[in-house]
Amino acid sequence: MASEITYAEVKFKNESNSLRTYSESPAASREKPIHHLSKPGTLMLLFISLMILLLLLAITFLVAFITYFQKYSQVLEEKIAKKNIIPSELNCVKDVSMMEVWSCCPKDWKPFGSYCYLIPTDTSSASWNMSEEKCSDKGAHLVVIHSKEEQDFITGTLRRNAAYFIGLWDTGHGQWRWVDQTPYNESATFWHQNEPNNDDEKCVMINYRYNIGWGWNDIRCSDKQNSICQMKKIHL
Ligand code: MMA
Ligand code: CA
């Protein structure tokens, strides 16, 4: 029994001894990684690498920012240029309803009410989308017809054997919309009899039907037709 206790004491001593020996051994101390970091040369190298990395990052960001800014200002400039389309020549009249104000339309455009109209004299047909784009390039849009008087004025200037796209299109199934966001008013529409008649015909033209007169017909947007552009009068 007594010899058993002695063995336990010896074992305990041995363990604590071996621990102490390990921590104090010079070989173990050399293995500690913290010893390497404390060298001033290594620290400096790490610092320089970090600085170079940061510099590279900053340069990358700067280049990306400059590229983005240049692209953005180019898009902005184009937008402004498109908005400020100034016609080279204007025809103006003194507006009786507005004192000291001149109401102007670009040369070759016809004035009526508060709008100017470009009626094609030659046959230059294009799809509905292309026609709207051509108007938009002139600072205008495909014609929006607000009243019978306006429709009569326009048709009075058109050729009976031609057809002309107007600024009306179908956004769904009979969801008619004007290009300038004027609300579609059923009571001021001038469809030919039995038109619109086809859900695949999503764009609208105006044409003359023999013995009937002028009216609207829905046709395919890819069809090529003449077109009428319209813009608000310019006040000077
Ligand atoms: C007919 C008539 C119109 C239709 C066109 C398509 C000539 O008119 O059915 O409603 O839009 O054909 O070409
Ligand atoms: Ca039709």
Side-chain angles (χ1 to χ4, degrees):
M1 199 63 190
S3 70
E4 263 180 28
I5 295 164
T6 311
Y7 176 69
E9 274 178 6
V10 171
K11 197 182 172 200
F12 178 71
K13 261 191 168 177
N14 273 351
E15 268 182 1
S16 79
N17 242 357
S18 82
L19 259 174
R20 190 159 45 88
T21 313
Y22 175 78
S23 64
E24 280 175 6
S25 114
S29 295
R30 245 182 277 127
E31 276 167 25
K32 279 183 188 171
I34 196 97
H35 216 72
H36 286 288
L37 275 177
S38 62
K39 283 185 183 166
T42 317
L43 250 180
M44 187 55 96
L45 203 71
L46 199 73
F47 179 74
I48 290 169
S49 311
L50 210 81
M51 281 296 130
I52 290 171
L53 196 76
L54 273 176
L55 197 72
L56 281 175
L57 255 169
I59 290 169
T60 312
F61 269 112
L62 200 72
V63 168
F65 178 76
I66 290 170
T67 312
Y68 176 80
F69 184 77
Q70 277 177 341
K71 193 109 201 137
Y72 178 75
S73 44
Q74 190 189 335
V75 167
L76 206 71
E77 241 172 62
E78 277 168 15
K79 251 189 175 172
I80 291 165
K82 254 200 165 172
K83 269 197 175 165
N84 292 334
I85 301 160
I86 298 164
S88 52
E89 253 184 85
L90 292 174
N91 286 334
C92 301
V93 293
K94 201 152 219 172
D95 204 314
V96 282
S97 62
M98 287 185 280
M99 282 219 300
E100 296 302 316
V101 173
W102 292 88
S103 288
C104 312
C105 282
K107 184 180 166 281
D108 300 329
W109 291 57
K110 290 181 162 62
F112 180 80
S114 45
Y115 295 97
C116 313
Y117 301 81
L118 183 63
I119 315 287
T121 46
D122 59 334
T123 324
S124 55
S125 51
S127 70
W128 189 90
N129 278 293
M130 274 306 295
S131 304
E132 172 60 10
E133 208 172 303
K134 284 201 295 183
C135 290
S136 147
D137 287 345
K138 297 177 178 81
H141 53 72
L142 278 171
V143 68
V144 173
I145 300 171
H146 309 81
S147 65
K148 181 78 169 71
E149 293 71 38
E150 194 176 10
Q151 160 115 341
D152 289 346
F153 162 77
I154 295 162
T155 55
T157 68
L158 303 179
R159 283 171 286 130
R160 286 188 175 182
N161 58 356
Y164 305 81
F165 273 127
I166 65 171
L168 187 60
W169 61 293
D170 187 1
T171 58
H173 305 283
Q175 300 293 302
W176 299 101
R177 187 178 294 174
W178 290 108
V179 285
D180 74 341
Q181 311 307 319
T182 293
Y184 176 72
N185 175 9
E186 284 276 0
S187 63
T189 61
F190 308 100
W191 294 102
H192 278 301
Q193 204 166 15
N194 303 321
E195 304 290 355
N197 68 335
N198 187 340
D199 204 33
D200 291 332
E201 298 181 324
K202 302 240 172 260
C203 288
V204 182
M205 65 157 184
I206 188 166
N207 73 341
Y208 186 82
R209 284 190 179 168
Y210 188 67
N211 273 350
I212 296 167
W214 289 95
W216 304 350
N217 173 29
D218 56 340
I219 57 163
R220 286 174 190 276
C221 301
S222 55
D223 278 8
K224 292 202 162 89
Q225 304 290 352
N226 294 290
S227 54
I228 305 156
C229 296
Q230 176 190 52
M231 69 160 82
K232 282 243 180 216
K233 277 181 180 169
I234 301 154
H235 298 298
L236 297 177

